[in-house]
């Protein structure tokens, strides 16, 4: 990836002279590959901006390599892909993001030829299809952050995906920026991710060791940006991860992503986990609980409230009630601690169901530990100690 950045930098330095010599640069690219790259760019580019240059994607052509760059004030991404340089020159221009991505998405599969002619790019597709898009010169396009010497940690896409799910537990209030992000931290020597919106907490502790704890920097990354970029890395297999004082960095062979960190202090959540080993545990089928909550949430109950309790027959049930309707479902296979009396617990059903998403697909059962109707509930996954969700009760 350092080579990728160096090649792009060299191209950027020379591009003014090269573009001045020739008015035409052209390349052939596979539609699917280009669309994948533009989709990632679409996650970075701001939805709206009064500055036209911020609504563009930079194309840098150097030999048979196309560098594609998208930037926003809070994040940026550089991608590299192989193309066929049919014009024989190198150069750059700014491709219109909104119309350009939408056009490419609707074109047929196969090869595309993009040819720049003065202030436009001509797109040839299919047997005889043609389209023209206006482009801008790239002279004033914002520069990418400098990667520098950074210790990168190998991380799997599955680990990133599980970390990104914690975005469900974040807030969206601009007045509480720290709660709008995912906290990346050192959890007893392992890479941890946690989030909270004050009503619930999500914690995912990966199996990735932090080998240099003395230099590791805890950080807060914007949750939605992180989730979107991770969802876009569907074809990545050798991802590396780093946190600097300013950025979260993700990279693989053909991409490097910079996400600006949230400048705030994340709340100390250690107190919320002190009761995790106290109280009574009930074990439930994850699939059955998910389906029950799905049906329960069809009712317009206040705060999506669902009640968990043991009924008069001794069966564990989940029920909910709206102004006009009610639903009750039993769990005959539920396993309760021996000789335990389960308290009546009321939770936000939406929050409880989202907590189930923290697990992987192989998880069969979940465990809910409670110690009283006014105390938090702790949801964990049977056989998977990496995940804990803390849910405050609805009083």
């Amino acid at each position: 990836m350092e080579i990728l950045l160096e090649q792009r930098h060299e191209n950027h330095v020379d591009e003014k002279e090269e573009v001045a010599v020739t008015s035409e640069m052209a390349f052939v690219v596979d539609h699917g590959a280009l669309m994948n790259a533009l989709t990632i760019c679409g996650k970075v580019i701001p939805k709206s901006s009064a500055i036209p240059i911020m609504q563009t994607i930079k194309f840098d052509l150097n030999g048979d390599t196309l560098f594609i760059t998208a930037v926003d004030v809070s994040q940026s991404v550089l991608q590299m892909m192989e193309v066929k340089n049919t014009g024989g020159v190198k150069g750059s221009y700014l491709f219109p993001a909104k119309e350009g991505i939408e056009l490419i998405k609707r074109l047929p599969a196969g090869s595309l030829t993009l040819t720049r002619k003065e202030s436009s790019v001509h797109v040839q597709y299919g047997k005889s299809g043609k389209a023209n898009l206006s482009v801008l010169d790239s002279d004033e396009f914002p520069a990418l952050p400098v990667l520098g010497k950074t210790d990168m940690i190998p991380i799997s896409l599955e680990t990133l995906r599980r970390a990104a799910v914690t975005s469900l537990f974040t807030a969206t209030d601009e007045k509480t920026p720290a709660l709008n992000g995912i906290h990346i931290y050192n959890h007893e020597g392992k890479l941890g991710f946690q989030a909270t919106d004050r009503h619930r907490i999500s914690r995912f502790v990966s199996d990735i060791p932090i080998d240099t704890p003395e230099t590791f920097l805890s950080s807060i990354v914007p949750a939605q940006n992180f989730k979107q970029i991770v969802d876009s890395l569907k074809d990545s297999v050798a991802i590396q991860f780093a946190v600097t004082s300013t950025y979260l960095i993700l990279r693989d062979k053909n991409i490097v992503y910079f996400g600006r960190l949230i400048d705030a202090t994340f709340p100390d959540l250690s107190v919320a986990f002190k009761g995790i080993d106290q109280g009574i545990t009930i074990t439930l089928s994850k699939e059955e609980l998910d389906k029950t909550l799905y049906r329960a949430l069809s009712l317009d109950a206040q705060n999506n409230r669902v009640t968990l309790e043991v009924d008069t027959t001794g069966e564990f049930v989940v029920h909910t009630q709206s102004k006009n309707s009610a639903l009750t479902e039993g769990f005959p296979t539920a396993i309760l601690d021996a000789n335990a009396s389960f308290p009546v617990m009321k939770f936000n059903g939406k929050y409880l169901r989202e907590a189930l998403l923290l697990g992987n697909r192989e998880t069969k059962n979940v465990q809910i530990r409670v110690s009283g109707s006014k105390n938090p509930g702790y949801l964990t996954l049977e056989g998977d100690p990496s995940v804990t969700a803390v849910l405050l009760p609805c009083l």
Side-chain angles (χ1 to χ4, degrees):
M1 185 53 67
E2 286 83 1
I3 295 175
L4 185 158
L5 291 169
E6 289 170 4
Q7 287 178 337
R8 183 200 176 278
H9 178 70
E10 290 172 1
N11 187 39
H12 176 75
V13 171
D14 298 339
E15 67 193 12
K16 293 182 182 178
E17 177 183 353
E18 200 65 54
V19 172
V21 172
T22 177
S23 60
E24 181 174 307
M25 57 176 276
F27 60 88
V28 178
V29 63
D30 176 72
H31 172 271
L34 180 60
M35 193 62 232
N36 287 341
L38 293 180
T39 298
I40 293 177
C41 290
K43 305 294 186 181
V44 170
I45 294 171
K47 300 301 181 184
S48 61
S49 176
I51 306 174
I53 202 170
M54 298 298 289
Q55 296 289 302
T56 64
I57 299 168
K58 187 178 183 183
F59 282 4
D60 284 310
L61 183 63
N62 190 355
D64 287 330
T65 303
L66 179 67
F67 299 91
I68 303 175
T69 310
V71 300
D72 187 12
V73 294
S74 62
Q75 54 183 343
S76 52
V77 64
L78 168 65
Q79 300 174 79
M80 176 180 72
M81 63 190 313
E82 295 302 311
V83 299
K84 182 178 180 180
N85 186 340
T86 55
V89 299
K90 65 179 179 179
S92 69
Y93 56 82
L94 302 184
F95 187 76
K98 184 176 180 180
E99 285 189 331
I101 293 176
E102 194 60 35
L103 171 65
I104 299 299
K105 182 171 67 174
R106 300 179 186 215
L107 296 184
S111 297
L112 305 177
T113 301
L114 278 70
T115 305
R116 182 183 181 178
K117 295 184 178 180
E118 297 180 348
S119 61
S120 66
V121 60
H122 296 199
V123 183
Q124 294 176 276
Y125 57 94
K127 292 183 178 180
S128 58
K130 297 179 181 179
N132 296 330
L133 293 164
S134 296
V135 297
L136 300 174
D137 289 332
S138 59
D139 298 353
E140 298 182 4
F141 194 75
L144 284 169
V146 178
L147 183 59
K149 293 183 178 180
T150 306
D151 292 332
M152 306 298 294
I153 301 173
I155 189 168
S156 70
L157 182 56
E158 179 61 22
T159 297
L160 283 175
R161 283 173 176 164
R162 296 190 69 182
V165 174
T166 60
S167 63
L168 292 169
F169 286 63
T170 57
T172 56
D173 187 353
E174 294 181 358
K175 297 179 181 179
T176 57
L179 304 188
N180 298 341
I182 297 172
H183 184 217
I184 302 175
Y185 70 110
N186 181 348
H187 183 89
E188 300 177 357
K190 297 294 181 67
L191 188 64
F193 303 83
Q194 58 184 359
T196 183
D197 60 2
R198 289 200 178 99
H199 303 287
R200 52 190 174 149
I201 300 170
S202 166
R203 184 176 73 185
F204 166 57
V205 181
S206 73
D207 59 359
I208 298 175
I210 297 177
D211 296 327
T212 56
E214 64 279 0
T215 60
F216 180 83
L217 298 174
S218 295
S219 59
I220 308 173
V221 300
Q224 296 309 311
N225 289 354
F226 182 68
K227 178 69 165 57
Q228 287 184 343
I229 198 66
V230 170
D231 287 347
S232 299
L233 299 176
K234 57 184 179 180
D235 296 324
S236 297
V237 294
I239 305 171
Q240 292 184 307
F241 165 100
V243 176
T244 70
S245 60
T246 309
Y247 293 99
L248 162 76
I249 302 171
L250 298 173
R251 73 178 186 187
D252 72 1
K253 181 180 178 181
N254 297 314
I255 183 172
V256 58
Y257 168 81
F258 298 89
R260 185 175 289 275
L261 305 177
I262 295 175
D263 185 12
T265 301
F266 199 76
D268 183 0
L269 303 179
S270 58
V271 174
F273 288 91
K274 285 187 175 180
I276 193 170
D277 296 322
Q278 302 173 6
I280 302 159
T281 299
I282 189 161
T283 303
L284 305 167
S285 163
K286 176 186 173 184
E287 182 179 7
E288 290 180 14
L289 181 58
D290 180 64
K291 290 179 178 179
T292 293
L293 293 172
Y294 174 71
R295 290 186 282 267
L297 289 170
S298 67
L299 275 59
D300 188 22
Q302 184 179 13
N303 296 325
N304 299 313
R305 183 177 298 171
V306 296
T307 301
L308 285 62
E309 64 177 326
V310 175
D311 67 12
T312 56
T313 67
E315 182 177 33
F316 181 81
V317 298
V318 174
H319 63 87
T320 187
Q321 184 173 343
S322 66
K323 183 177 180 180
N324 301 310
S325 307
L327 178 147
T328 301
E329 294 193 12
F331 289 76
T333 60
I335 302 173
L336 185 64
D337 285 348
N339 303 317
S341 177
F342 193 87
V344 177
M345 300 297 303
K346 299 179 186 294
F347 293 114
N348 183 310
K350 178 176 178 291
Y351 292 171
L352 184 56
R353 187 169 187 240
E354 287 178 343
L356 301 180
L357 297 175
L358 297 170
N360 54 42
R361 296 187 181 95
E362 291 73 33
T363 301
K364 300 296 183 182
N365 296 319
V366 297
Q367 296 174 322
I368 301 175
R369 180 177 286 272
V370 295
S371 59
S373 60
K374 296 183 179 181
N375 297 330
Y378 299 89
L379 185 144
T380 55
L381 310 177
E382 190 174 57
D384 182 4
S386 67
V387 168
T388 305
V390 184
L391 303 171
L392 295 182
C394 295
L395 302 177

